[in-house]
Amino acid sequence: MEKLICDGHTLCYTDHGQGEPIVLLHGFCGSSEYWDLLVPLLSGSHRCIAVDLRGHGHSDAPLGAYSLEQMADDVLKLLDELNLPKVTLLGHSMGGYVTLSFAQRYASRLNGFGLIHSTGYTDTEEGKEKRLKAVSTIQTEGVTAFIDGLIPGLFAPDADQTHPELIQRAKEIGYLTPPQGAAGAALAMRERPDRRDVMSATVLPLLLVAGEYDSVAPPEKVFTVDKPNVTQAVIQGAGHMSMMEAPKELARVILQFMQQTKNA
């Protein structure tokens, strides 16, 4: 992996392929490895940079609460370091929240952006309580127990029968999340504002991807804006993890979207 120092902390990322750059941001308790099945399908025609967000993967996990703005600023520093004036930024779940923060403040650095199984909504009150419960579970029972409870529900309902190896792989990635990183990120998501206005106001190409069986970010929470610059796609048979459940279909959707950003 490649490394960059951001505000005294190490940020790690992978960098594959040549061409128009795509930056991929993973979800909560994931890492750049979430994209391992997708990147080979994109990197034949595009440069794919997959980031380990603050507190996740091989990046440093500072103590205390994080903010999505910090994570977005880490991405900005990475783009500066790599001399990339503009990229297409795609975020999965929590990575989508980071993407919206980035798009709100640094739109001039984007050719386009997208939410993959993510939403512009803020947490409901019930959702905010679940974030605090997650932090409590991580602190009292450990990351392994938390991940074992979290991951199966991210996949389509029959995935434990059809793709148990994918569930296990996602768990193994999650187990490596430092406890303070998981807790800090949970608190960051809890404090995020509603950013549907960023999506409705943007003139940039915007990709919205939902999973047919996603119970975390169902299509009605993903597709909150519909206008000419917005591409909506439902990945059939997938839950919240199409980059693992249906990488070929997700790659097809992304590559078509990249053609639109090129022509925009």
Side-chain angles (χ1 to χ4, degrees), residues 30 42-43 62 75 120 185 219 230:
L42 301 178
S43 59
V75 175
V230 177

Side-chain angles (χ1 to χ4, degrees), residues 38-204:
L38 184 72
V39 166
L41 303 175
L42 301 178
S43 59
S45 55
H46 293 80
R47 183 178 179 182
C48 293
I49 298 158
V51 183
D52 281 357
L53 291 167
R54 176 183 295 237
H56 292 74
H58 295 282
S59 292
D60 283 349
L63 292 172
Y66 303 163
S67 73
L68 299 174
E69 287 64 43
Q70 283 178 321
M71 294 181 179
D73 288 348
D74 289 344
V75 175
L76 179 67
K77 291 185 177 72
L78 176 60
L79 301 191
D80 289 343
E81 178 70 18
L82 296 178
N83 295 313
L84 292 172
K86 286 194 174 189
V87 302
T88 298
L89 186 62
L90 304 178
H92 167 244
S93 197
M94 180 187 74
Y97 309 151
V98 177
T99 295
L100 285 175
S101 173
F102 190 102
Q104 184 176 46
R105 295 178 296 134
Y106 309 122
S108 64
R109 302 298 296 271
L110 296 175
N111 291 317
F113 64 101
L115 306 187
I116 299 174
H117 310 300
S118 191
T119 179
Y121 282 103
T122 188
D123 273 352
T124 62
E125 290 305 311
E126 178 186 5
K128 290 181 178 181
E129 284 302 310
K130 286 183 177 179
R131 302 292 186 198
L132 296 180
K133 184 177 179 181
V135 172
S136 176
T137 300
I138 292 162
Q139 292 175 338
T140 58
E141 301 178 32
V143 165
T144 298
F146 176 71
I147 292 297
D148 284 342
L150 173 71
I151 294 298
L154 302 183
F155 288 80
D158 62 349
D160 58 337
Q161 301 296 321
T162 58
H163 293 295
E165 76 285 356
L166 296 181
I167 295 177
Q168 183 59 33
R169 179 63 185 135
K171 285 183 177 182
E172 290 169 357
I173 293 169
Y175 293 154
L176 298 178
T177 310
Q180 70 271 24
L187 295 174
M189 291 188 290
R190 185 178 188 271
E191 298 303 319
R192 77 183 188 279
D194 190 307
R195 285 199 168 100
R196 284 175 291 166
D197 60 329
V198 177
M199 300 159 66
S200 60
T202 188
V203 296
L204 292 168

Side-chain angles (χ1 to χ4, degrees), residues 209-231:
V209 176
E212 180 184 11
Y213 298 118
D214 191 342
S215 61
V216 180
E220 62 268 20
K221 288 185 69 176
V222 178
F223 302 142
T224 59
V225 59
D226 184 8
K227 52 182 187 166
N229 62 313
V230 177
T231 300

